[in-house]
Amino acid sequence: IVPLEHEAMLQIISGITDTLADIKAEIQVKNAHSDSNIMLALIKQMKEQNIDIIMPIGTSACQMTVSHIKNKPIICVAALPDQKQNPLVTGVNDEIPISASMSKLPKLQNIAVIYSASEKIAPEIEALKAYALKNNISLNLSMIQTLIDLPLVVKNISKDTQAFLILKDHLVVSGINILVQEAKKRSIPVIASDEGSVKNGASLAIGVREKDIGVESALIAKRILKGVSPGRIPHKMLDDKFVLFINEDSFVAQKILDINDINEIKMNIVRYSNINKM
């Protein structure tokens, strides 16, 4: 179950399909198009179908699936479910706390944060506020309800903003091109939280390869198909696979962050260039 299609989702699905190719698994991809009513209808439909495993991607899809399906194994992909609630649930989590991510990057004093009304995002915004207060960082918080809101919201953000910051927020990530275009006009970076956004023009992000999320989720699916109960499979954390993604072309287009400073960060670095230039 895909909440909304964008680059990161496509990479996760690619990891799943490639890893399950050797067992000739039939994989159905259902897109909820960022509509909770569509997502609920898909989940209820799957409840009655002859499906062996359901793999909702992201926190909102996971929570809704776990809430409504009690008769099938569920692998929460890129989410952290409460396994105690349902012995048929396990999953793979790729989240890095935003404070941990920000602490590794060169310090900026004035950052605009664009986010959606997703329940999953709310606690991350509170954590970001606390981090900013502690580190004397000024945050300009802008929430959007739909993707249609994004161009006007971004355009109206204060001109003294030093960077746009986005979280692993499906709605906002799907409009990354809008952020990248505005950032180019201002010669500032877009700091993201996923690999796909960097591929599509964001300056940098700390996270994991999206395809790895799919691969690890598919490996769990293989164990379940062999008869292992999901409740006996510990939730897989990908905190050993965090890397720094940078888009070298985007660094050329912005004047705030120095790529030489980024090169000094003690993390594995994955570089992209000559793709989707700002």
Side-chain angles (χ1 to χ4, degrees):
I1 304 173
V2 177
L4 179 65
E5 186 175 289
H6 51 74
E7 177 65 24
M9 291 291 162
L10 296 176
Q11 288 297 314
I12 291 172
I13 293 168
S14 174
I16 292 171
T17 54
D18 288 355
T19 306
L20 295 178
D22 63 329
I23 63 171
K24 296 182 173 58
E26 179 186 346
I27 300 170
Q28 300 178 30
V29 179
K30 303 292 185 179
N31 185 353
H33 300 284
S34 194
D35 187 318
S36 59
N37 291 320
I38 294 176
M39 185 180 293
L40 180 59
L42 290 173
I43 291 169
K44 288 183 175 180
Q45 185 182 59
M46 291 180 182
K47 184 177 180 179
E48 306 304 326
Q49 291 178 331
N50 183 26
I51 294 173
D52 295 304
I53 299 172
I54 298 178
M55 303 175 75
I57 303 178
T59 301
S60 59
C62 172
Q63 290 176 340
M64 189 177 288
T65 303
V66 172
S67 175
H68 288 87
I69 293 185
K70 309 294 183 182
N71 63 337
K72 301 179 189 295
I74 299 169
I75 301 174
C76 287
V77 182
L80 186 63
D82 184 353
Q83 285 180 282
K84 295 179 181 178
Q85 291 183 347
N86 190 332
L88 290 176
V89 177
T90 186
V92 174
N93 186 42
D94 65 312
E95 294 284 350
I96 177 173
I98 189 60
S99 57
S101 179
M102 290 293 291
S103 67
K104 297 179 184 296
L105 302 176
K107 189 174 181 181
L108 299 172
Q109 299 297 330
N110 196 333
I111 299 174
V113 183
I114 302 94
Y115 65 103
S116 74
S118 166
E119 290 183 14
K120 176 247 183 185
I121 297 300
E124 296 182 47
I125 292 296
E126 292 305 313
L128 188 56
K129 287 180 182 178
Y131 178 83
L133 183 63
K134 183 178 179 180
N135 291 275
N136 195 30
I137 297 173
S138 175
L139 291 183
N140 182 340
L141 299 172
S142 298
M143 185 174 75
I144 63 171
Q145 297 289 343
T146 69
L147 197 58
I148 297 173
D149 301 333
L150 188 57
L152 183 60
V153 165
V154 173
K155 186 176 181 179
N156 289 334
I157 289 173
S158 174
K159 296 302 180 183
D160 62 354
T161 294
Q162 294 178 295
F164 294 142
L165 173 65
I166 59 174
L167 306 170
K168 293 205 75 170
D169 189 327
H170 301 306
L171 181 61
V172 178
V173 166
S174 68
I176 185 64
N177 62 309
I178 297 170
L179 286 162
V180 169
Q181 290 169 7
E182 182 65 24
K184 180 181 179 181
K185 294 177 184 177
R186 299 177 182 228
S187 296
I188 63 174
V190 176
I191 301 173
S193 301
D194 68 285
E195 178 190 15
S197 292
V198 176
K199 284 184 175 181
N200 285 316
S203 299
L204 73 161
I206 293 178
V208 303
R209 288 184 178 275
E210 307 295 342
K211 189 167 185 176
D212 285 346
I213 301 171
V215 169
E216 294 293 342
S217 301
L219 291 175
I220 290 176
K222 284 185 174 183
R223 294 182 64 187
I224 293 173
L225 291 173
K226 289 180 179 179
V228 180
S229 169
R232 296 182 60 190
I233 302 175
H235 203 90
K236 174 71 175 180
M237 303 296 292
L238 297 183
D239 49 0
D240 60 334
K241 296 190 176 186
F242 288 130
V243 297
L244 173 64
F245 301 101
I246 64 173
N247 186 315
E248 294 179 328
D249 297 318
S250 297
F251 270 88
V252 174
Q254 54 89 24
K255 303 173 182 177
I256 305 296
L257 295 178
D258 189 328
I259 197 167
N260 292 319
D261 292 337
I262 301 300
N263 289 333
E264 295 299 318
I265 297 176
K266 298 186 183 303
M267 291 187 71
N268 291 328
I269 298 178
V270 176
R271 302 171 185 274
Y272 293 105
S273 61
N274 299 320
I275 54 170
N276 297 317
K277 289 189 178 183
M278 287 179 67

